[in-house]
C-alpha cells in the first residue's frame, strides 16, 4: 500500500461544537489503517465519509478540482479545516494521485477542454476525445481508464452517482484489475452495493463509533438491496 494509515489528532481541533469536529466517529477513532489495495467507506449521509476523504486529499497534496463556490445562505467556517487535524503514514514516501467526485468532475472536464484548445495533445491522455462531448458516464470511464494506469493514490467520492448499474460493474471490473496490478491504491466513499463487492476490499463503516471494518454481507446496503429483491421489506 502507498498510504498505510491516517491518524486523527483531537488536540489540534479548533472546536468540538461544529461539523465535522463534533462527529463522535472521529473522536473515538485515533487511527485508521489501510491494508488492502481498495478501501471502501460506507455509512449514512453526514457520518463523515466524504469529509475524511477530502481531508486525506488535501493532506496528501492532491488537488480537488472545484471552481469558486457560489454564495451560500450559511457558511460553516470549519468544514474544510479537517485536514489540519490529521497526519498520514506512507509506506515509501508520498505518491501522486487524484480526487474524483461527480459534483466536481465537470469542473475538471471544462478545464481540460480549455487546455486542449491550446494543446489538443492533452486529450490523448483521456482517449483522444473531449470529455464534454461524451455522455457523463462515458466521460467518467474514459477518465478512470486513463488516469488510473499511473502509480498513485486515488480517492473517489460516491462515483456511482453518475453511473448506470452496468457502468458501475465496468468500474468494479476496472478496480479489481488495477488493484491486482499493484501500482494503484483506492479509497472510495460509496453507497453502491455493486462497488462494495470489489474483491479483496476492506470496508469501513462510519455508522458506529469507532469506525470499524465490516463484512460485505453485513453492510446495510447489501441487506437492504437483498431484502428489496427478495420482496421481504
Amino acid at each position: 500500500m502507498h498510504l498505510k494509515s491516517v491518524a486523527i489528532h483531537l488536540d489540534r481541533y479548533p472546536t468540538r461544537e461544529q461539523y465535522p469536529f463534533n462527529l463522535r466517529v472521529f473522536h473515538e477513532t485515533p487511527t485508521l489503517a489501510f491494508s488492502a489495495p481498495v478501501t471502501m467507506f460506507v455509512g449514512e449521509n453526514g457520518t463523515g465519509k466524504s469529509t475524511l476523504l477530502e481531508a486525506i486529499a488535501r493532506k496528501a497534496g492532491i488537488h480537488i478540482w472545484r471552481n469558486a463556490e457560489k454564495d451560500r445562505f450559511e457558511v460553516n467556517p470549519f468544514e474544510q479545516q479537517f485536514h489540519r487535524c490529521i497526519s498520514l503514514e506512507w509506506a515509501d514516501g508520498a505518491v501522486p494521485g487524484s480526487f474524483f467526485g461527480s459534483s466536481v468532475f465537470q469542473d475538471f472536464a471544462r478545464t481540460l477542454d480549455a487546455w486542449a484548445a491550446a494543446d489538443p495533445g492533452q486529450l490523448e491522455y483521456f482517449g483522444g476525445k473531449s470529455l464534454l462531448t461524451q455522455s457523463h458516464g462515458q466521460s467518467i470511464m474514459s477518465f478512470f481508464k486513463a488516469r488510473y494506469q499511473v502509480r498513485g493514490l486515488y480517492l473517489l467520492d460516491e462515483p456511482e452517482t453518475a453511473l448506470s448499474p452496468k457502468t458501475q460493474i465496468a468500474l468494479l471490473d476496472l478496480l479489481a484489475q488495477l488493484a491486482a496490478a499493484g501500482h494503484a491504491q483506492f479509497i472510495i466513499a460509496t453507497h453502491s452495493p455493486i462497488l462494495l463487492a470489489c474483491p479483496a476490499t476492506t470496508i469501513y463503516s462510519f455508522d458506529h463509533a469507532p469506525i470499524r471494518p465490516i463484512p460485505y454481507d453485513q453492510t446495510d446496503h447489501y441487506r437492504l438491496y437483498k431484502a428489496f429483491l427478495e420482496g421481504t421489506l
Side-chain angles (χ1 to χ4, degrees):
M1 299 309 98
H2 302 307
L3 181 62
K4 294 177 63 177
S5 66
V6 57
I8 299 172
H9 304 284
L10 299 183
D11 58 322
R12 300 181 189 174
Y13 274 23
T15 179
R16 295 200 185 188
E17 305 301 321
Q18 296 278 348
Y19 183 90
F21 299 103
N22 60 354
L23 291 176
R24 192 163 66 92
V25 288
F26 295 147
H27 295 175
E28 300 185 20
T29 308
T31 61
L32 204 61
F34 302 105
S35 58
V38 180
T39 301
M40 302 280 186
F41 292 168
V42 298
E44 283 298 320
N45 293 327
T47 55
K49 307 182 304 299
S50 298
T51 295
L52 182 57
L53 200 69
E54 289 199 16
I56 292 172
R58 290 191 170 93
K59 199 69 177 182
I62 295 173
H63 184 69
I64 299 175
W65 291 93
R66 179 177 289 145
N67 288 340
E69 292 188 0
K70 297 180 180 180
D71 291 340
R72 292 166 52 183
F73 175 72
E74 185 175 357
V75 176
N76 176 359
F78 298 103
E79 63 185 356
Q80 294 186 4
Q81 294 187 26
F82 195 59
H83 68 285
R84 299 175 182 173
C85 304
I86 68 171
S87 58
L88 307 179
E89 181 185 6
W90 299 94
D92 191 24
V95 296
S98 70
F99 179 95
F100 172 86
S102 59
S103 62
V104 301
F105 180 73
Q106 285 299 306
D107 289 341
F108 169 76
R110 292 187 189 98
T111 300
L112 177 62
D113 230 46
W115 292 344
D119 179 10
Q122 294 286 338
L123 297 179
E124 294 303 319
Y125 297 102
F126 301 95
K129 295 190 295 184
S130 167
L131 297 179
L132 295 178
T133 64
Q134 304 175 55
S135 74
H136 199 32
Q138 289 172 332
S139 64
I140 287 172
M141 287 304 298
S142 293
F143 172 80
F144 289 160
K145 290 175 181 177
R147 187 66 182 90
Y148 298 161
Q149 299 300 324
V150 181
R151 176 178 177 268
L153 173 66
Y154 298 106
L155 311 171
L156 292 79
D157 188 16
E158 300 183 9
E160 70 275 7
T161 57
L163 302 178
S164 69
K166 183 177 180 180
T167 309
Q168 289 182 49
I169 292 174
L171 174 57
L172 175 66
D173 290 342
L174 181 65
L175 289 172
Q177 293 169 18
L178 297 177
H183 67 280
Q185 180 180 0
F186 298 90
I187 305 175
I188 304 169
T190 184
H191 294 289
S192 169
I194 294 175
L195 297 183
L196 287 172
C198 186
T201 294
T202 297
I203 302 174
Y204 279 121
S205 172
F206 282 60
D207 283 330
H208 305 281
I211 299 167
R212 65 192 69 174
I214 185 172
Y216 172 61
D217 61 2
Q218 295 300 309
T219 62
D220 288 342
H221 309 70
Y222 173 88
R223 289 178 165 183
L224 181 65
Y225 276 75
K226 183 174 185 290
F228 175 76
L229 292 172
E230 292 177 344
T232 57
L233 279 179

